[in-house]
Structures are given as C-alpha cells and as structure tokens.
Amino acid sequence: MIVQVDVNGFSTYAYTGGRDFDATRPSIVFVHGACNDHSVWALQSRYFAHHGRNVFAVDTPGHGRSSGDAHASVADLAKWLTALLDALAIERAAFVGHSLGALAVLDMAARNPDRVSRIALLGPSAPMPVAEVLLDAAKKNDHLAFELISGWSFSAGHQLGGSEQPGIWMRGSALRLMERSRPGALYNDLLACRDYDDGVKAAGSVRCPALVILGQRDLMAPPANAALLIEALADKRVVTLSGCGHSMMAEAPGAVLDALRAFPL
C-alpha cells in the first residue's frame, strides 16, 4: 500500500510497507538523505510495518514521487515534517532520518517535543560541511556531483562488491537513484546540509530517547563530526557499524535493522 497525501499544497508520496494504517498502532516516519527517496528504507520500513507499526517512508518535496521543490534549509524541512504529521492526522510518531534527513529529524524533535516519541539519527554530522567541488557540480547539474557522492558514500570494501544481496552493485544502484532526481534537487539538499549551524543546539533541546548510528568508515559524515551532537543529547544510545561508510542502509541493512529493533522504536 502507498499513501499520497497533500502537504502544504503539494502531493507527497509515502511507502507504508504494504500495510493499512491502524490508528491503534504507533507510527514511524522514515526520512531519506540528499538526492535519495523512500526506497533506501526498503528493508527497515517493511520490517516495522509487519511488526506492529504504521510506517511512512516518505519522499520529501522535490524527490521521488513527491511534487514541489526540494527545501534548501533544514529548518524548512523540519517544519514540513510537522505539516506531514498534520496531513496524516497523526499526533505523535517516532522518526528515523539519514544524513540530511537525520538533521531534519533532529531539528523537528527539538522544535516539537510533544510530537516526537523517539528519534534515530543515521550518519549525522554537526556541522555537515560540503566540498566546494561537489556544490559547484550540483549547481550546474553536472553528473560529476553524482559520481563524487557515489564514490565518497561507500567504504573502500563496498565500492565494487560486498552487498548482502547477491548480484547487487551498491555504488551503481546509488548512482542510478541520483540520476533519476530532478534538476536542482541535489543542490538544494547540499545547501541545506552546509548551512545548518544549529545541530548541537538542537540536540541539547531534544528530550526524547535518541539512537545514533555511525559508519566507522564514513567519509561523508565522519563519526568525529557527530561527537558534539552526541554529547548534547540527554538520552542516547550510540551504535557504530564496523567497516561501514555513509550509505549504511545499503552496506549494512541487517545491522541497521538490528540497531533499530534493539532501540526499540
């Protein structure tokens, strides 16, 4: 089953893991990172949908099957997540975010503590710098931007092989996903990452339990860049995935799921 809902006047797509909404169940919202869509959460979203949760793996504005333009600030994306809950008529939910999505979830939880039960932040960084060569390529809609990200997002051991699913080239799949994105979406995503300066402050305002999942070999968001954010969280659990890069849902889908299950959401 899928959900297509109006949020702020634009159509928003959400994957539900093949289950109908049940108001008696707790809900989880999965938020993807830059130039991705709901499909990066295939394993995790489907698992929780079939284990007692309402699941909404969303395509954020300007991504995947959702209309509108990609937001160029984390704060705007966080406000959009609140509007998404309103559109779904859900008062409170858990949120799982990756990379840019992690920053949006963090900011949303800091601004709306009554509407967030728990958060899981995958590959966060505060700040989250962006290389100028990458930003310039994204601004020009140059394919080089996709090549750089797909190269930096995977650990050395997963550049060519190593997928838990036989026959899958993870870097190639990630590249194809970005190639399907709309012009300008990646540039706006990268601006949002680069310009967000409130990560540590937001972490200090979060009152719900938080799970942070780090990739030991993450070049896009090195674990050291999350140290101050983690320190500021009042109630946290930290899991580091050995040998894993930034694209952890592809590189270590089972380990990510195990960490989320153990939290639990």
Side-chain angles (χ1 to χ4, degrees), residues 11-238:
S11 178
T12 294
Y13 174 93
Y15 172 69
T16 67
R19 306 290 285 188
D20 292 329
F21 177 77
D22 183 344
T24 66
R25 293 181 172 185
S27 298
I28 306 173
V29 177
F30 290 86
V31 188
H32 61 79
C35 215
N36 284 173
D37 66 15
H38 69 280
S39 64
V40 298
W41 301 109
L43 175 66
Q44 298 80 20
S45 60
R46 186 164 181 81
Y47 173 87
F48 282 103
H50 288 264
H51 288 80
R53 304 292 190 275
N54 297 312
V55 161
F56 299 95
V58 297
D59 288 346
T60 60
H63 297 78
R65 303 179 191 179
S66 291
S67 62
D69 294 325
H71 291 305
S73 81
V74 168
D76 286 345
L77 190 52
K79 292 174 184 175
W80 180 85
L81 289 175
T82 307
L84 173 69
L85 287 188
D86 292 339
L88 294 170
I90 295 174
E91 185 59 33
R92 199 162 184 255
F95 284 81
V96 181
H98 174 247
S99 194
L100 171 58
L103 298 183
V105 164
L106 176 69
D107 200 73
M108 196 269 187
R111 293 170 183 268
N112 304 276
D114 294 338
R115 306 204 67 178
V116 182
S117 59
R118 287 180 170 240
I119 60 173
L121 311 175
L122 284 65
S125 178
M128 189 175 281
V130 178
E132 285 301 319
V133 63
L134 174 57
L135 195 63
D136 183 61
K139 186 176 184 179
K140 298 174 182 176
N141 292 306
D142 188 334
H143 194 271
L144 174 64
F146 302 149
E147 297 170 25
L148 290 172
I149 291 179
S150 66
W152 294 337
S153 290
F154 291 90
S155 63
H158 291 124
Q159 288 286 334
L160 294 177
S163 174
E164 292 183 13
Q165 302 180 65
I168 298 297
W169 178 29
M170 292 181 288
R171 184 180 174 188
S173 296
L175 187 62
R176 186 68 191 99
L177 176 59
M178 289 186 287
E179 288 171 344
R180 295 204 307 264
S181 66
R182 296 168 210 173
L186 177 58
Y187 181 62
N188 278 7
D189 289 346
L190 295 177
L191 285 180
C193 291
R194 185 198 67 180
D195 295 342
Y196 186 59
D197 297 324
D198 294 332
V200 176
K201 179 181 177 181
S205 298
V206 171
R207 292 296 172 259
C208 66
L211 170 67
V212 181
I213 305 179
L214 306 172
Q216 181 193 23
R217 300 294 184 183
D218 192 336
L219 299 180
M220 295 288 287
N225 286 12
L228 293 178
L229 183 157
I230 292 170
E231 182 180 354
L233 291 166
D235 182 357
K236 72 261 188 174
R237 179 184 300 179
V238 180

